[in-house]
Every structure is written in structure tokens, then in C-alpha cells.
Amino acid sequence: MDAKRVLIGFVVTFVVGFFVTALVTWLWTLIFEGAGVADWQLAFALALVVGIAVPLANALAAKKS
């Protein structure tokens, strides 16, 4: 496993996951509650988990093939 590639994958996946989750939670509260507030705690936690899991899964899959 190339550590630099996994780290870049983590950063990219974290940033994308963070902003997508924040946007979805903002839209959800805007549509269903009328507040329009993003859930930053959920966005950070989900981005952290996805940011770790996806690059590691890709690295392990690439190592097997």
C-alpha cells in the first residue's frame, strides 16, 4: 500500500463527504423543519468514517489484484 496515495484518498474523500453530508442535512432541515441548519457534528463524523474506510478498501482491493 502506498501511504501517500491512501492519505490523498483520505483527504479527498473526507472533504467531499463532509460537504455532501452538510449539504444534505441543510436541505433536510430546510425542507422538513424550515430551519435550514446543517448538522456539522454528523457531517464531520460521517466524513471521518468514510474518509478512512473508502481509501483503505481501495488500497486493499488494489493490493489483491
Side-chain angles (χ1 to χ4, degrees):
M1 285 191 266
D2 186 17
K4 183 178 179 182
R5 183 173 294 214
V6 173
L7 183 61
I8 291 171
F10 168 76
V11 170
V12 170
T13 307
F14 179 85
V15 169
V16 170
F18 181 79
F19 285 116
V20 167
T21 306
L23 177 66
V24 168
T25 59
W26 178 77
L27 285 172
W28 180 270
T29 59
L30 182 65
I31 293 169
F32 292 105
E33 298 175 11
V37 178
D39 188 353
W40 299 110
Q41 183 178 2
L42 176 66
F44 183 78
L46 188 61
L48 188 64
V49 169
V50 171
I52 293 171
V54 171
L56 285 179
N58 288 341
L60 291 173
K63 186 177 180 181
K64 284 186 177 181
S65 62

